[in-house]
Amino acid sequence: MVFNSIAFVVFLPIVVLLFYLLPHKWRWLMLLAASCVFYMWFVPKYILILLVTIVIDYAAGILMEHYADQPRKKKTFLIISIVSTLMVLMVFKYLNFITENLDQLCASLGMETHLMTHIILPIGLSFHTFQSMSYVIEVYRGHQKAERHFGYYSLYVMFFPQLVTGPIERPGNLLRQLHEKKEFRYENISKGMRLILFGFFVKMVVADHLGEYVDEVYGHLDEYNSWTVLCCMVFYSFQIYCDFFGYSTIALGSAKLMGFDISDNFKSPYLSKSIAEFWHRWHISLSTWFRDYVYIPLGGSRVKYGRWVFNILVVFVLSGIWHGAAWTFLLWGFAHGLLHVVEKTLRKALPTRGHAPLTLPGFGNALRVVKTFVLVTLFWVMFRATDFEHLKAIFVTAFTNFGGGEQMSVKPGVWIYLGLFILSDILLRNTRFDKWCDDKPLVLRWLIYAVLAFMVICCSSVCNFPFIYFQF
């Protein structure tokens, strides 16, 4: 089930109503059943894969706690859990990629093989796999008690607002809240509805309209000139941001309706002054996951320079591979890691100098923001390209065809939607839409709600694009 569907518009109010009508002791069961329905709306049989990882990690958590005084056994159960979970991810997400490349390698050596598989990737597998892994690692470290109630642990992994595209929750936040008795509060309903409405606007009005142009241009590069392709690159930067940010905002709102606070996943990333800051503001739950469970265990920054470079590149390459089983994703991750290393190295090597007398206040920061946005936009081409040939074609057309091809005509409304979103992103740089509305006059708040509702109902794109991060 997708958020931008009639099915979800019917599903969510029913779940929220049942949540508050049922006694606390039965709410977990209703939420678990609802989450199963939500997940099975896509491919019902794939819930069995999810069940396998849930059983393995649930048992591992209890066994690690039971053998807490026997480090070797405790570590063995951790390894079994992580390896088993990663094997599931490997088979369903990466086996097609591995066999395809092996076939190509053998063909280049004159051998004919037919290893290629055709396994369909379950929706959101990478997200709930990492959420399960964070639980067993936290139990192993002694930061989290093993959950003895199988139903509550299953709900922690399957909680429907963030099941498919995150945020990747830690047990210390979500699992604790699932046990708490939630009382009906108008404030939660109000904040939740604000977030859902804003999320619908960001996804259905901004992202989907931009997606129409991106798909058209990237699918017919030979028909358009360089200016159009460059514009399309910028459009894709905002499409993927609005698409993912819209989903995350709807997820936050859906959980908030029932009193649950899940993690913010974005904080105006395109206003970042460096690639490091960008990753502190973009897909925050994934960035902190890799920081806590990969980067710091490797030694983090408390090592010699060469090892630090290695640690950074490992984290970013893994992040790229996590996003997709393709060489373009690996290249995208490596490019981000390399830029992070270059920026930090230059910052340490170059002496800090005060502003020149004629420098306008904030002008230097504005240039850094523009620089970061331009580089991130160029890197998004690697993320969007279907393969290296497509990637090459995009860059060649973008920088060598200024005089030929057609100029894309963009409807004025699209510029208005994009402009409104950029303005909102600037206003919300250090806050969130529901919180930003709190201290605004009643008339202004309801005017904003009315405008957003009107735009969602009347200005949504006719193309109903699936959420981009569903494929991960």
Side-chain angles (χ1 to χ4, degrees):
M1 189 181 300
V2 292
F3 286 165
N4 55 332
S5 66
I6 298 298
F8 183 74
V9 173
V10 174
F11 169 84
L12 182 61
I14 293 174
V15 172
V16 174
L17 182 62
L18 289 174
F19 179 81
Y20 286 114
L21 289 177
L22 288 171
H24 171 68
K25 65 178 180 179
W26 297 116
R27 287 176 177 174
W28 71 267
L29 183 59
M30 185 278 297
L31 283 178
L32 182 58
S35 298
C36 289
V37 170
F38 182 89
Y39 190 78
M40 293 171 69
W41 208 267
F42 300 104
V43 183
K45 63 182 179 181
Y46 277 159
I47 199 170
L48 298 176
I49 301 168
L50 193 50
L51 178 61
V52 169
T53 60
I54 287 172
V55 170
I56 292 172
D57 294 335
Y58 169 76
I62 293 174
L63 289 168
M64 283 190 294
E65 191 170 81
H66 180 75
Y67 290 101
D69 57 344
Q70 299 181 45
R72 294 188 66 179
K73 283 190 175 182
K74 183 180 177 182
K75 190 171 186 177
T76 298
F77 289 121
L78 173 69
I79 293 172
I80 291 172
S81 172
I82 291 177
V83 169
S84 301
T85 304
L86 288 178
M87 283 300 296
V88 172
L89 186 63
M90 180 68 68
V91 169
F92 285 93
K93 187 164 185 174
Y94 301 106
L95 189 58
N96 289 342
F97 174 70
I98 293 170
T99 55
E100 178 185 2
N101 280 275
L102 285 175
D103 277 341
Q104 292 176 358
L105 177 61
C106 291
S108 67
L109 297 174
M111 297 183 290
E112 185 178 351
T113 57
H114 302 283
L115 301 173
M116 182 62 185
T117 56
H118 299 282
I119 300 174
I120 300 175
L121 176 66
I123 294 291
L125 181 62
S126 297
F127 287 91
H128 52 71
T129 294
F130 271 33
Q131 188 151 312
S132 295
M133 289 174 62
S134 69
Y135 166 78
V136 293
I137 294 172
E138 291 301 312
V139 172
Y140 174 79
R141 291 176 173 178
H143 300 159
Q144 173 68 38
K145 287 189 175 182
E147 177 56 60
R148 302 285 170 161
H149 193 294
F150 183 73
Y152 273 109
Y153 177 71
S154 301
L155 181 57
Y156 159 72
V157 177
M158 295 188 62
F159 189 48
F160 76 86
Q162 46 81 227
L163 170 62
V164 177
T165 314
I168 303 168
E169 286 294 339
R170 306 293 179 89
N173 180 42
L174 181 58
L175 191 53
R176 170 187 57 80
Q177 291 187 71
L178 294 175
H179 282 280
E180 294 174 354
K181 184 177 180 179
K182 302 292 183 181
E183 301 291 345
F184 178 85
R185 296 177 60 191
Y186 171 77
E187 179 186 5
N188 289 335
I189 302 298
S190 174
K191 288 179 176 290
M193 291 302 296
R194 292 175 195 171
L195 289 167
I196 291 171
L197 179 60
F198 185 63
F200 279 148
F201 162 74
V202 172
K203 162 61 179 171
M204 299 169 65
V205 179
V206 185
D208 286 357
H209 273 295
L210 295 176
E212 294 179 35
Y213 295 96
V214 172
D215 281 5
E216 167 61 25
V217 174
Y218 279 178
H220 306 88
L221 288 167
D222 55 331
E223 299 179 11
Y224 294 98
N225 61 26
S226 296
W227 298 112
T228 295
V229 177
L230 291 170
C231 180
C232 181
M233 289 181 182
V234 175
F235 275 15
Y236 183 69
S237 287
F238 282 103
Q239 182 202 358
I240 192 170
Y241 175 30
C242 292
D243 191 278
F244 197 8
F245 178 47
Y247 184 99
S248 298
T249 304
I250 299 169
L252 285 167
S254 300
K256 191 65 179 178
L257 290 175
M258 295 172 283
F260 297 104
D261 293 306
I262 58 178
S263 306
D264 289 324
N265 225 4
F266 296 92
K267 291 184 178 179
S268 302
Y270 289 159
L271 297 178
S272 304
K273 297 184 290 294
S274 67
I275 206 69
E277 184 183 354
F278 173 81
W279 280 102
H280 280 100
R281 293 176 170 273
W282 173 276
H283 203 172
I284 299 169
S285 62
L286 181 68
S287 301
T288 53
W289 197 98
F290 275 112
R291 179 198 67 197
D292 295 343
Y293 302 130
V294 179
Y295 179 66
I296 292 177
L298 285 174
S301 58
R302 306 180 309 276
V303 291
K304 293 182 178 180
Y305 177 78
R307 179 55 189 265
W308 171 77
V309 171
F310 173 80
N311 293 347
I312 288 292
L313 294 179
V314 165
V315 167
F316 277 98
V317 167
L318 288 177
S319 175
I321 295 172
W322 178 91
H323 281 85
W327 292 110
T328 50
F329 287 112
L330 189 150
L331 178 62
W332 173 78
F334 178 80
H336 271 276
L338 188 61
L339 180 58
H340 178 84
V341 169
V342 170
E343 283 188 344
K344 193 163 184 179
T345 302
L346 289 176
R347 198 178 303 121
K348 287 185 175 181
L350 298 176
T352 303
R353 299 169 64 180
H355 293 295
L358 297 179
T359 301
L360 295 175
F363 183 69
N365 285 338
L367 287 179
R368 293 185 188 97
V369 169
V370 172
K371 175 264 299 181
T372 302
F373 176 76
V374 169
L375 290 171
V376 169
T377 294
L378 292 174
F379 291 169
W380 279 132
V381 178
M382 308 173 198
F383 196 93
R384 177 60 173 76
T386 54
D387 51 37
F388 283 136
E389 287 299 318
H390 190 212
L391 176 63
K392 178 182 176 182
I394 293 171
F395 278 121
V396 168
T397 307
F399 296 105
T400 63
N401 193 31
F402 288 98
E406 297 181 18
Q407 179 74 32
M408 178 176 63
S409 177
V410 181
K411 297 176 184 178
V414 175
W415 294 111
I416 294 173
Y417 309 147
L418 182 57
L420 287 174
F421 173 73
I422 293 173
L423 176 61
S424 70
D425 210 43
I426 294 171
L427 292 174
L428 301 176
R429 186 175 189 273
N430 295 312
T431 184
R432 204 171 67 183
F433 180 71
D434 59 324
K435 298 175 181 178
W436 181 84
C437 290
D438 282 340
D439 59 353
K440 300 300 179 289
L442 180 66
V443 174
L444 177 59
R445 286 206 311 268
W446 280 94
L447 178 61
I448 293 171
Y449 304 156
V451 170
L452 290 176
F454 173 81
M455 297 185 79
V456 169
I457 295 170
C458 300
C459 304
S460 293
S461 170
V462 294
C463 297
N464 188 11
F465 287 89
F467 287 95
I468 293 173
Y469 266 68
F470 269 31
Q471 62 185 300
F472 309 134

